[in-house]
């Protein structure tokens, strides 16, 4: 009978760690703290600006979630974002008309990089950690080779609209286009994760053999996760290019920031556990935390230290919470 | 069978009126248990009957809420397993807690290494371990062998030696044969006998009735946390024991076999099938019948299942489904042709343990068919009812279910794709009698519905009780076929290679 009643204190902690509970609680505290710390957060505009800043990381978090929940890592997204922005600037070079074909090209590039990551991981059986680390270095090198360190060209106004501008909504004021795009992607991601393919990704992270014996095409599904991560990097690059402008450092460190965000959202490294909404909430929480630190006048250099502490603490919390499961014995 | 050790001498352990509650649920109520030196006392009951809890109270893991435990005539109250161990009570766990890269001796003395001049006294540790192994007649295991290189049965021996190294007088064994192959079980029998001869009192928890009768001198049956009966083994028959455990006789466990008109056309036919592990496999499965596949461990039973289901496909020969030749090169191909495969290793191969009942039940459907192409709508609630699943709801994670209910989820996920051919490998391993009965009924019900079933089981009574025909394997080949209800001897004769041809 005991095994049907997992209601001991420890196992309840497990379920909290798995769900969106903790990260949402932390997020709520941060949002309230922001309101006290800065006058900008006394009205919706402040929070909309936060969302706008956080949108690229949240979109990256969706892609990274797919990879992590199916049991992998994607470390290449940061340099992919840089590469995409540099490519966009070079190809558009101020030509408004070029925007129309450059944006699809960027999405395809992102998908192709993901495809290469996925195929090498699943067909050549190189751990994704290594594959995407290699891809990170290759893209970094390629960008440097191509630009000599200072990217040339410029983005068109049309390209920058999504990352920069907004539209007027009564009561809320100017709602950034990026927030609207984010909302659409959230809905799409949630629907995808409720569907068969999404559930299969989680199942692969939990028990790959069961999916394989169940007739699932594990290699294809895992490759798909990398492709989606690549596409999410391309979308994030479009937002960041518009928001932050062209530089060869625009994506620096994003891979670690997004993994921190996803882990903060309670998604378990190694896969099989966690929700896409929690991963995005993790990204928003991280941005809110950095905004708060900024408002409190904490030096920017501390950001990476904070990130380091968070990633270790979040994984430790999830691991300790799982111990009762490992040592759990049936009657 | 001569009953030895069933003496009137004072019990070494005397548990009286033991009661235990977890979160207000009474798990044990007023249970008595005596363990005598040199006696194997079997503790049986369905999952959740309280066997493990009673064992854990004995071993100091839990404290009883009511009742007393006496050891050697004086009352004891252990605060931890370490205290129980110091008093001479050791537990041999179901899952092994051995370190693969450490030697046998290092494992036996893990955390209690003998020390000499500030260093681990390796020589003494190895000598002591060798002595303990010798005492059990296990000369085949060297104290210096890394545990990784040992067979499962030998690891079991190491676990037992580890327990004995603390000078245990009482050993509690929790499902000691769960991980063992058939021939390894024999080794365990010998070991248990030698432990008895040394005057050790053994509490033996097992689901396997045959072991209980082969090994024990006394049987205590628990049901829903209460003592049903405690009798000398000689005074009980398997039938009576099952009735005590579940309230119905053994024969009633197995549903009626298929009547002749119920078996229909040939659904699956293999001719000359072979691969690295198999040769010359010819078999036919008809709609409506359950065909048993017997054989010793390693004879290729699972290899046949894996070949039919595309996991390790046949490389020679032909395979026909409903009269049409097909090529099955992957599990996906097999499933899309209507072949389902309930694998032997429920947790390793079958279930995504951290996912919900729903996600597991829909796994094959989603994995093999995408958007349910070619399948009708699925009524999940009805599906779960049909396998008599007991869970808190479709959102419960399967790791929290009992073994029997987990197996029902595995069956549900295969039934969700409406198979024509069902291959089941050890479908009742490690589940309690009530759940076994449910699985038997379910399989027979499917056969009645026209499914052709190939069933593999190491438990001969089960295989014989369920099958309409029995195929027996020996060394990668089919050694022969037996009609419904063969004797265990007939099966074993074929399985051991003493006869190769048998008229069906």
């Amino acid at each position: 009978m005991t095994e049907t009643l997992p209601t001991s204190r420890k196992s309840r902690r497990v379920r909290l760690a798995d769900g969106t509970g903790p990260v949402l609680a932390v997020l709520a505290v941060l949002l309230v703290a922001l309101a006290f710390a800065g006058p900008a957060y006394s009205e919706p505009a402040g929070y909309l600006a936060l969302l706008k800043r956080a949108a690229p990381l949240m979109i990256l978090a969706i892609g990274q979630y797919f990879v992590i929940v199916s049991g992998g890592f994607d470390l290449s997204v940061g340099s992919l974002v840089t590469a995409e922005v540099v490519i966009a600037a070079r190809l558009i070079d101020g030509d408004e008309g070029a925007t129309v074909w450059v944006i699809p090209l960027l999405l395809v590039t992102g998908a192709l990089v993901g495809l290469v990551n996925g195929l090498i991981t699943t067909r050549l059986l190189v751990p994704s950690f290594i594959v995407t680390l290699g891809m990170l270095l290759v893209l970094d090198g390629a960008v440097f080779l191509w630009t000599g360190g200072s990217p040339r060209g410029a983005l068109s106004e049309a390209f920058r609209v999504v990352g920069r501008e907004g539209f007027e909504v009564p009561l809320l004021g100017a709602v950034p286009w990026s927030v609207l795009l984010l909302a659409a992607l959230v809905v799409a991601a949630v629907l995808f994760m409720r569907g068969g393919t999404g559930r299969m990704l989680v199942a692969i992270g939990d028990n790959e053999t069961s999916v394989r014996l169940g007739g699932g095409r594990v290699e294809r599904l895992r490759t798909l996760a990398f492709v989606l991560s690549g596409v999410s990097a391309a979308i994030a690059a479009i937002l960041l290019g518009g928001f932050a402008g062209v530089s060869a450092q625009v994506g620096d460190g994003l891979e670690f920031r997004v993994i921190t965000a996803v882990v903060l959202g309670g998604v378990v490294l190694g896969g099989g556990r966690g929700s896409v909404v929690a991963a995005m909430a993790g990204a928003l929480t991280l941005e809110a935390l950095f905004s708060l630190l900024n408002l409190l006048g904490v030096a920017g250099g501390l950001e990476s230290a904070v990130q380091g502490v968070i990633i270790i603490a979040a994984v430790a919390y999830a691991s300790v919470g799982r111990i009762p499961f490992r040592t759990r014995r049936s009657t | 069978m001569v009953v030895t050790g069933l003496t009137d001498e004072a019990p070494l352990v005397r548990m009286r009126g033991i009661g235990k509650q977890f979160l207000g649920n009474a798990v044990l109520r007023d249970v008595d248990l005596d363990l005598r030196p040199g006696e194997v006392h079997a503790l049986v009951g369905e999952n959740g009957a309280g066997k493990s809890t009673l064992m854990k109270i004995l071993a100091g893991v839990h404290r009883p809420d009511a009742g007393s435990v006496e050891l050697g005539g004086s009352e004891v109250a252990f605060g931890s397993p370490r205290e129980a161990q110091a008093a001479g009570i050791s537990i041999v766990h179901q899952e092994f807690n051995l370190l693969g890269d450490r030697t046998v001796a290092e494992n036996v003395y893990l955390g209690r290494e003998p020390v000499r001049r500030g260093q681990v006294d390796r020589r003494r540790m190895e000598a002591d371990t060798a002595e303990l192994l010798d005492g059990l007649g296990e000369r085949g295991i060297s104290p210096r062998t890394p545990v990784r290189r040992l067979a499962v049965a030998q690891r079991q021996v190491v676990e037992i030696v580890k327990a004995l190294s603390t000078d245990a007088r009482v050993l509690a064994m929790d499902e000691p044969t769960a991980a063992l192959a058939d021939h390894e079980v024999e080794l365990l029998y010998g070991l248990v006998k030698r432990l008895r001869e040394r005057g050790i009192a053994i509490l033996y928890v097992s689901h396997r009735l045959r072991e209980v009768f082969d090994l024990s001198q006394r049987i205590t049956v628990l049901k829903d946390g209460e003592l049903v009966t405690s009798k000398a083994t000689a005074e009980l028959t398997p039938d009576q024991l099952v009735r005590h455990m579940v309230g119905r006789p053994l024969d009633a466990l197995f549903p009626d076999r298929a009547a002749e008109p119920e078996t229909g056309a040939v659904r699956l036919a293999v001719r000359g099938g072979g691969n690295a592990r198999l040769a010359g496999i010819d078999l036919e499965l008809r709609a409506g019948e359950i065909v048993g596949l017997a054989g010793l461990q390693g004879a290729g039973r699972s290899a046949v299942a894996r070949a039919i289901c595309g996991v390790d496909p046949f490389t020679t020969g032909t395979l026909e489904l409903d009269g049409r030749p097909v090529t099955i090169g992957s599990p996906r191909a097999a499933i899309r042709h209507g072949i389902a495969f309930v694998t032997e290793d429920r947790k390793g191969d079958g279930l995504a343990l951290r996912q919900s009942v729903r996600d597991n039940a829909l796994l094959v459907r989603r994995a093999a068919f995408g958007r349910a192409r070619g399948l009708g709508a699925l009524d999940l609630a009805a599906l779960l009812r049909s396998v008599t699943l007991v869970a808190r709801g479709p959102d419960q994670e399967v790791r929290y279910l009992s073994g029997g209910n987990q197996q029902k989820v595995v069956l549900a996920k295969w039934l969700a794709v409406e198979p024509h051919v069902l291959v089941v490998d050890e479908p009742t391993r490690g589940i309690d009698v009530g759940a076994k009965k449910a699985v038997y009924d379910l399989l027979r019900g499917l056969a009645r519905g026209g499914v052709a079933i190939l069933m593999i089981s190491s438990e001969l009574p089960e295989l014989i009780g369920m099958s309409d025909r029995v195929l027996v394997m020996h060394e990668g080949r089919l050694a022969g076929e037996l009609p419904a209800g063969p004797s265990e001897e007939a099966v074993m004769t074929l399985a051991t290679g003493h006869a190769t041809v048998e008229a069906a």
Side-chain angles (χ1 to χ4, degrees):
Chain A
M1 292 310 283
T2 46
E3 58 232 275
T4 56
L5 297 166
T7 32
S8 72
R9 194 167 43 87
K10 279 182 177 170
S11 64
R12 198 176 305 136
R13 206 171 79 211
V14 178
R15 267 181 295 149
L16 277 181
D18 297 334
T20 45
V23 69
L24 289 182
V26 173
L27 182 59
V29 169
L30 284 172
L31 293 180
V32 172
L34 276 173
F36 283 102
Y41 293 94
S42 57
E43 46 190 292
Y47 290 104
L48 283 174
L50 171 66
L51 265 184
K52 180 174 160 184
R53 271 200 309 283
L57 190 66
M58 291 173 76
I59 290 167
L60 281 176
I62 299 177
Q64 190 71 230
Y65 167 80
F66 294 140
V67 176
I68 288 184
V69 88
S70 59
F73 281 99
D74 191 351
L75 294 176
S76 67
V77 290
S79 47
L80 179 54
V81 165
T82 305
E84 296 270 22
V85 169
V86 169
I87 292 170
R90 184 73 169 258
L91 292 180
I92 293 175
D93 203 7
D95 176 8
E96 290 294 328
T99 314
V100 190
W101 60 268
V102 168
I103 287 184
L105 184 81
L106 294 182
L107 295 176
V108 170
T109 308
L112 276 179
V113 170
L115 185 66
V116 172
N117 282 336
L119 289 179
I120 296 179
T121 302
T122 57
R123 305 292 167 178
L124 302 184
L125 306 179
V126 182
S128 61
F129 189 85
I130 299 300
V131 176
T132 57
L133 183 64
M135 183 59 82
L136 177 156
L137 296 172
V138 168
L139 290 174
D140 259 4
V143 165
F144 190 82
L145 199 68
W146 203 38
T147 62
S150 57
R152 275 161 292 169
L155 297 171
S156 61
E157 276 311 304
F159 188 95
R160 309 195 64 167
V161 158
V162 200
R164 260 187 175 172
E165 311 292 326
F167 57 100
E168 286 298 318
V169 171
L171 295 177
L172 283 176
V175 172
W177 287 111
S178 58
V179 173
L180 191 72
L181 177 65
L182 180 67
L185 289 175
V186 170
V187 172
V190 167
L191 289 179
F192 176 76
M193 284 316 294
R194 286 196 177 177
T197 313
R199 301 320 302 160
M200 280 304 104
L201 286 180
V202 188
I204 287 172
D206 192 346
N207 185 348
E208 191 182 312
T209 316
S210 75
V211 177
R212 203 182 294 281
L213 291 178
R217 286 178 289 203
V218 173
E219 287 75 18
R220 270 198 211 194
L221 287 161
R222 296 190 69 190
T223 304
L224 175 68
F226 283 99
V227 170
L228 292 175
S229 180
V231 171
S232 79
I235 299 173
I238 293 167
L239 294 190
L240 274 175
F243 183 70
V246 182
S247 82
Q249 286 79 40
V250 63
D252 278 7
L254 271 181
E255 61 281 339
F256 294 116
R257 185 169 287 202
V258 71
I259 290 175
T260 308
V262 170
V263 169
L264 183 61
V267 180
V268 171
L269 295 182
R273 164 134 275 168
S275 80
V276 67
V277 173
M280 282 184 288
L284 184 56
T285 306
L286 205 56
E287 287 291 344
L289 179 66
F290 290 148
S291 299
L292 183 66
L293 291 178
N294 197 18
L295 277 176
L296 297 176
V298 176
L302 208 59
E303 278 191 9
S304 65
V306 167
Q307 216 171 288
V309 172
I310 289 177
I311 196 162
I312 294 174
V315 173
Y317 180 75
S319 305
V320 171
R322 273 192 300 165
I323 286 174
F325 166 51
R326 283 207 215 103
T327 56
R328 192 177 187 83
R329 302 176 49 77
S330 59
T331 339
Chain B
M1 183 175 169
V2 184
V3 180
T4 52
L6 192 71
T7 57
D8 291 329
E9 72 180 281
L12 187 56
V13 174
R14 187 196 289 269
M15 300 173 90
R16 284 290 172 272
I18 301 292
K20 179 73 185 172
Q21 295 197 343
F22 287 120
L23 304 158
N25 280 323
V27 183
L28 286 177
R29 273 184 301 265
D30 195 21
V31 174
D32 299 344
L33 186 80
D34 288 343
L35 300 177
R36 293 184 174 79
E39 183 181 296
V40 176
H41 192 140
L43 187 60
V44 299
E46 297 188 83
N47 278 345
K51 306 182 299 271
S52 287
T53 310
L54 189 61
M55 181 184 251
K56 284 177 180 167
I57 287 172
L58 175 67
V61 180
H62 298 314
R63 276 165 180 278
D65 297 332
S68 64
V69 182
E70 282 176 26
L71 179 67
S74 50
E75 187 162 341
V76 288
F78 301 125
S80 70
R82 199 171 266 271
E83 283 179 37
Q85 232 173 45
I89 300 178
S90 274
I91 202 164
V92 180
H93 287 290
Q94 200 171 2
E95 292 144 41
F96 302 146
N97 300 310
L98 298 174
L99 305 177
D101 288 325
R102 298 290 190 95
T103 65
V104 169
E106 282 168 337
N107 270 289
V108 167
Y109 284 98
L110 188 70
R112 312 174 278 111
E113 292 86 351
V115 177
R116 184 161 167 258
R117 279 190 243 126
Q119 302 224 309
V120 172
D121 189 348
R122 185 165 284 278
R123 202 179 301 165
R124 193 176 129 211
M125 196 163 85
E126 284 168 3
D128 289 354
T129 306
E131 195 177 315
L132 285 165
L133 285 165
D134 220 36
L136 291 172
E138 294 292 342
R139 291 179 185 81
I141 303 174
S142 155
R144 290 190 189 177
T145 311
V147 162
R148 179 167 36 81
R149 292 211 212 121
L150 300 180
V152 182
Q154 293 178 315
R155 292 181 199 192
Q156 179 96 60
V157 172
V158 175
E159 277 283 349
I160 291 169
V161 165
K162 192 174 167 182
L164 289 178
S165 68
T166 59
D167 291 323
R169 287 182 289 164
V170 180
L171 268 190
M173 305 175 90
D174 189 4
E175 297 273 356
T177 56
L180 300 187
D182 301 345
H183 61 278
E184 294 176 328
V185 173
E186 295 295 327
L187 297 177
L188 184 83
Y189 275 29
L191 189 58
V192 168
K193 190 161 159 267
R194 286 190 288 279
L195 289 171
R196 274 185 55 211
E197 285 162 1
R198 291 172 55 166
I200 288 168
I202 298 173
L203 181 65
Y204 193 95
V205 174
S206 180
H207 274 127
R208 300 192 181 176
L209 293 190
R210 167 184 286 184
E211 280 164 27
V212 167
F213 280 95
D214 284 353
L215 288 176
S216 74
Q217 284 74 52
R218 182 167 282 278
I219 301 176
T220 291
V221 183
L222 293 182
K223 186 169 168 62
D224 300 330
E226 292 183 37
L227 185 78
V228 178
T229 186
S230 185
K231 276 192 171 163
T233 306
E235 294 170 28
L236 278 167
T237 65
D239 257 328
Q240 290 168 327
L241 183 58
V242 171
R243 204 171 305 141
H244 283 309
M245 287 164 70
V246 294
R248 55 178 168 265
L250 184 62
D251 280 345
L253 275 180
F254 304 115
D256 293 337
R257 291 202 176 79
E260 203 51 52
E262 287 182 43
T263 54
V266 175
R267 283 232 117 128
L268 178 131
V270 178
R271 306 208 195 285
N275 60 24
R277 306 233 15 228
L278 303 167
I281 302 295
D282 287 301
L283 63 85
E284 289 185 348
L285 302 180
R286 292 175 177 276
E289 70 174 348
I290 296 178
V291 176
L293 190 57
L296 302 176
Q297 196 84 21
R301 296 173 308 183
S302 293
V304 169
R306 293 170 74 84
I308 291 174
C309 301
V311 184
D312 301 312
F314 287 119
T315 48
T316 60
T318 59
L319 198 149
E320 284 175 18
L321 273 175
D322 294 323
R324 285 192 313 275
V326 291
T327 313
I328 303 284
S330 66
R332 188 182 181 85
I335 293 159
R336 288 179 155 235
H337 278 109
I339 302 175
F341 183 21
V342 175
T343 48
E344 178 180 14
D345 183 356
R346 186 164 57 235
K347 290 188 178 173
D349 299 338
L351 292 168
L353 286 171
R354 290 183 288 174
Q355 310 308 314
S356 64
V357 167
R358 176 190 291 111
D359 282 341
N360 274 285
L362 294 177
L363 191 137
V364 179
R365 222 176 137 87
R366 285 165 166 168
F369 291 89
R371 290 185 183 281
R373 260 165 274 145
L375 288 173
L378 180 78
D379 182 348
L380 182 69
L383 176 68
L384 297 179
R385 264 199 310 277
S386 73
V387 296
T388 63
L389 178 76
V390 180
R392 277 187 295 170
D395 291 318
Q396 189 173 13
E397 289 178 30
V398 294
R399 62 175 154 135
Y400 292 123
L401 300 177
S402 65
N405 279 308
Q406 287 183 346
Q407 187 68 336
K408 290 174 186 174
V409 174
V410 173
L411 286 166
K413 83 171 180 176
W414 289 108
L415 299 189
V417 293
E418 295 158 23
H420 302 305
V421 176
L422 180 63
V423 179
V424 291
D425 195 354
E426 305 286 0
T428 66
R429 175 170 285 180
I431 67 179
D432 66 62
V433 179
K436 281 183 184 180
K437 165 95 177 122
V439 169
Y440 298 150
D441 288 344
L442 192 65
L443 291 178
R444 184 49 77 186
L446 288 168
R448 295 231 161 83
V451 178
I453 298 177
L454 183 68
M455 174 170 169
I456 297 174
S457 174
S458 295
E459 289 192 47
L460 271 185
E462 167 180 291
L463 196 77
I464 291 165
M466 284 295 294
S467 305
D468 300 312
R469 286 188 286 143
V470 178
L471 302 174
V472 188
M473 294 201 67
H474 177 66
E475 291 180 353
R477 292 172 176 275
L478 286 174
E481 179 178 328
L482 299 165
S487 66
E488 295 195 16
E489 290 70 26
V491 175
M492 289 315 291
T493 308
L494 286 172
T496 50
H498 290 312
T500 44
V501 188
E502 181 90 8

